[in-house]
Amino acid sequence: MSKPLLSVSNLSVSYGKVEAVRGVSLEVFAGEIVTVIGANGAGKSTLLNAAMGILPAVGEQAFDGAPIGRLEVEDRVAAGLSLVSERRELFSSMNVEDNLRLGAVRFSEREAQSRMAGVFDRFPRLKERRRQEAGTMSGGERQMLAMGRALMAGPKVLMLDEPSLGLAPRIVADIFTIIEDLRKDGVAILLVEQNARAALNAADRAYVMELGEITMNGRAADLANNPQIEQSYLGLH
Ligand code: ATP
């Protein structure tokens, strides 16, 4: 295989004295959907936030062959890494277009317009609602808007933290279709999910995280058929 786009190795993240992520190594290659599954509190969000530069971390982090461990969030975005956080973090009193524009602040208005047209092609629903305030949109629409805003920056790797959280099953299916379309269009995906079954179905490779550590990794299809994984993570869905 070629070199990974995103790689973290021996990454640790602490909140005060509590080490929430311990010695984690993970890679995402171009063209891949990679998922991290694990129980509540396993450290999945902490891992993504550290890779994005939102939380300080110890260990090595590289993107596209260059070290990024010392880079601020906006420089990681410029390098091609974006995160849609669990909280989605939209500006609820701003409309769809203005929220999207915030994803492309480092580009000219003309460039932002052309990127927005691309986002509207992918999410026709957002185009219909371009003047609607984000705070009045449904959960699924807000998730699409948060993904659209991240895509405005033109990421090579898009990290998604619990994109299906709180959404009705039909909308969850739409979100997973979008994730697969993104991969086809050349955006590699790092997906954190509690909906382990859906995540393993969509992913090429998977990591299992328990109490801050990666305890298993491999082909998603193999993990989906692993009795231990089935018992721990697939029973409820
Ligand atoms: P969830 O799916 O519930 O978000 P997770 O796997 O994403 O779980 P994290 O949110 O990364 O897990 O949390 C990992 C651990 O770090 C947990 O024990 C959590 O309580 C702790 N933690 C998370 N955020 C903070 C914080 N801001 N301050 C202190 N501890 C935190």
Side-chain angles (χ1 to χ4, degrees), residues 15 18 20 39-47 86 161-162 192 194:
Y15 298 105
V18 180
N40 258 322
K44 308 179 298 297
S45 301
T46 302
L47 171 64
E86 198 174 354
D161 194 356
E162 303 275 2
V192 155
Q194 285 201 35

Side-chain angles (χ1 to χ4, degrees), residues 67-223:
I68 56 164
R70 291 171 191 276
L71 295 188
E72 299 292 334
V73 177
E74 50 273 30
D75 295 325
R76 296 185 195 215
V77 172
L81 184 62
S82 287
L83 168 67
V84 180
S85 90
E86 198 174 354
R87 293 177 301 283
R88 293 164 195 166
E89 287 168 349
L90 299 167
F91 289 85
S92 28
S93 60
M94 283 168 55
N95 70 24
V96 166
E97 282 191 344
D98 290 340
N99 269 286
L100 287 177
R101 262 196 199 91
L102 290 175
V105 281
R106 67 197 170 90
F107 298 110
S108 66
E109 174 60 20
R110 192 171 158 177
E111 178 63 27
Q113 285 292 348
S114 121
R115 284 168 182 252
M116 201 180 295
V119 169
F120 285 152
D121 283 345
R122 192 176 298 282
F123 299 103
R125 187 69 175 251
L126 294 183
K127 186 173 188 181
E128 286 164 23
R129 291 166 184 264
R130 58 201 299 163
R131 310 252 183 251
Q132 187 171 332
E133 282 184 9
T136 64
M137 297 176 85
S138 72
E141 289 163 353
R142 286 205 301 275
Q143 179 61 34
M144 289 178 198
L145 179 52
M147 288 171 76
R149 186 182 52 186
L151 290 171
M152 291 287 287
K156 293 180 193 160
V157 175
L158 180 62
M159 301 191 287
L160 300 170
D161 194 356
E162 303 275 2
S164 73
L165 194 72
L167 304 182
R170 189 174 49 82
I171 312 293
V172 173
D174 290 347
I175 297 289
F176 274 93
T177 303
I178 290 162
I179 290 171
E180 281 166 20
D181 287 348
L182 283 170
R183 181 256 290 278
K184 279 183 210 137
D185 294 342
V187 183
I189 306 282
L190 178 57
L191 171 68
V192 155
E193 263 291 348
Q194 285 201 35
N195 188 342
R197 189 177 294 282
L200 291 175
N201 276 340
D204 305 296
R205 286 190 307 113
Y207 294 82
V208 180
M209 204 166 177
E210 286 172 39
L211 299 174
E213 293 179 291
I214 301 291
T215 52
M216 244 191 256
N217 74 90
R219 287 182 47 222
D222 293 341
L223 290 184

